[in-house]
């Protein structure tokens, strides 16, 4: 009997110890995400040297999107997305993004997708077309998922020369509970179309993603979108919402 009680007490201690260790690691991971966000999230002084001669036009907008992924066979998907963007304090139509693509998962850690994107814009501007390829890498570390993406993009517009971009993006996601995740992300637009290649846009995101079923999700986020190294920079504060469905 005494041995049984002793064994039970030891098991309880082991369970409590494991729970404390898990909580400790989660607190450390949350702290790491917060530190990275505070370090890399830009303030006005961050761009003082990069763009000191141009004061950006500040605006607020909303991005609303709807995404569908359709599985066609094992590890292969057709993707479709529509996104409406408003600007001028979210009172005027800016653009509508229509995106269709093909995605292939080569493993749990690596996938590639090829997409065509058409952008309809306001003020009678011509349609803009983009072709791009994404190379996606994923790494899970306990409750944190690290997602790295390299996008190779070519942009076409009437009466303009095509422009080529390399768009790196890194995302950190933290799973609070199974259906709910917090995330932060950073993305750069590196223009390689001209002799002096340089970044001309930077974006930073923070938000939450919630799966309310196995195939349906909603994402709510804030985005800081800042032009740099351009003559007429714009700084956009964006509130975004996105619905996703897997078929």
């Amino acid at each position: 009997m005494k041995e049984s009680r002793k064994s039970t007490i030891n098991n309880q201690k082991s369970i409590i110890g494991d729970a404390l260790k898990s909580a400790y690691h989660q607190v450390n991971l949350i702290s790491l995400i917060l530190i990275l966000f505070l370090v890399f999230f830009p303030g006005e002084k961050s761009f003082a040297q990069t763009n000191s001669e141009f004061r950006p036009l500040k605006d607020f907008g909303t991005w609303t999107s709807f995404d569908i992924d359709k599985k066609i066979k094992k590890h292969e998907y057709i993707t479709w997305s529509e996104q409406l963007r408003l600007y001028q304090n979210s009172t005027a139509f800016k653009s509508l993004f229509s995106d269709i693509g093909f995605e292939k998962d080569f493993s749990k850690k690596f996938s590639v997708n090829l997409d065509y994107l058409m952008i309809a814009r306001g003020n009678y501007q011509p349609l803009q077309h983009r072709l791009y390829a994404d190379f996606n890498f994923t790494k899970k570390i306990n409750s944190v998922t690290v997602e790295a993406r390299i996008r190779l993009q070519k942009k076409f517009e009437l009466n303009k020369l095509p422009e080529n971009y390399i768009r790196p993006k890194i995302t950190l996601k933290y799973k609070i509970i199974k259906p709910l995740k917090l995330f932060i992300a950073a993305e750069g637009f590196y223009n390689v179309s001209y002799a002096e290649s340089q970044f001309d846009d930077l974006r930073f995101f923070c938000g939450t993603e919630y799966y309310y079923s196995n195939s349906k999700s909603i994402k709510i986020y804030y985005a800081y979108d800042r032009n740099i190294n351009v003559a007429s920079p714009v700084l956009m504060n964006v509130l975004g919402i996105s619905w996703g469905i897997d078929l």
Side-chain angles (χ1 to χ4, degrees), residues 31-207:
S31 301
L32 175 62
I33 290 175
L34 290 175
I35 290 170
L36 288 172
F37 180 74
L38 292 173
V39 168
F40 291 106
F41 193 84
E44 285 302 306
K45 294 182 179 179
S46 303
F47 301 98
Q49 295 180 349
T50 307
N51 224 9
S52 58
E53 67 272 32
F54 301 115
R55 184 179 296 276
L57 172 66
K58 295 183 180 181
D59 195 5
F60 171 77
T62 51
W63 297 350
T64 305
S65 58
F66 186 74
D67 309 316
I68 293 179
D69 291 353
K70 170 64 176 176
K71 186 175 182 179
I72 52 177
K73 62 180 182 179
K74 191 174 183 179
H75 305 308
E76 294 183 1
Y77 306 85
I78 295 294
T79 63
W80 173 63
S81 176
E82 294 288 330
Q83 184 180 80
L84 173 65
R85 296 187 178 183
L86 303 179
Y87 73 136
Q88 295 180 1
N89 290 321
S90 198
T91 61
F93 171 79
K94 183 181 182 182
S95 55
L96 177 66
F97 286 58
S98 300
D99 188 311
I100 187 166
F102 169 78
E103 178 181 339
K104 182 172 179 61
D105 296 337
F106 291 92
S107 69
K108 291 182 178 180
K109 297 182 179 181
F110 177 66
S111 66
V112 175
N113 56 282
L114 305 173
D115 288 60
Y116 163 71
L117 171 63
M118 181 180 71
I119 304 175
R121 298 175 294 172
N123 299 321
Y124 304 101
Q125 296 181 82
L127 291 174
Q128 188 182 107
H129 307 271
R130 297 180 186 177
L131 295 174
Y132 65 86
D134 284 350
F135 301 88
N136 310 294
F137 306 87
T138 303
K139 174 69 174 179
K140 289 187 177 181
I141 307 171
N142 296 325
S143 297
V144 173
T145 301
V146 182
E147 297 177 352
R149 185 211 72 194
I150 298 293
R151 173 172 294 180
L152 306 180
Q153 173 185 293
K154 195 172 192 71
K155 181 171 69 174
F156 304 89
E157 190 174 332
L158 186 65
N159 299 323
K160 288 187 178 181
L161 292 175
E163 289 187 304
N164 300 310
Y165 280 86
I166 300 174
R167 291 173 54 180
K169 183 178 181 180
I170 186 164
T171 304
L172 296 179
K173 294 183 178 180
Y174 176 73
K175 183 172 69 174
I176 301 176
I177 55 176
K178 188 173 182 180
L180 181 63
K181 295 180 180 179
L182 298 178
F183 69 87
I184 58 172
E187 180 180 15
F189 288 63
Y190 191 69
N191 194 328
V192 294
S193 306
Y194 309 105
E196 294 185 3
S197 301
Q198 60 185 3
F199 284 97
D200 60 21
D201 196 356
L202 296 174
R203 290 178 182 171
F204 299 85
F205 304 83
C206 63

Side-chain angles (χ1 to χ4, degrees), residues 8-25:
T8 301
I9 292 172
N10 288 336
N11 289 336
Q12 290 176 346
K13 287 181 178 180
S14 177
I15 292 171
I16 293 171
D18 291 342
L20 289 174
K21 286 181 182 178
S22 177
Y24 173 77
H25 288 305

Side-chain angles (χ1 to χ4, degrees), residues 210-218 244-246:
Y210 179 72
Y211 285 83
Y212 53 94
S213 76
N214 290 332
S215 60
K216 298 178 182 178
S217 65
I218 184 170
I245 296 179
D246 296 331

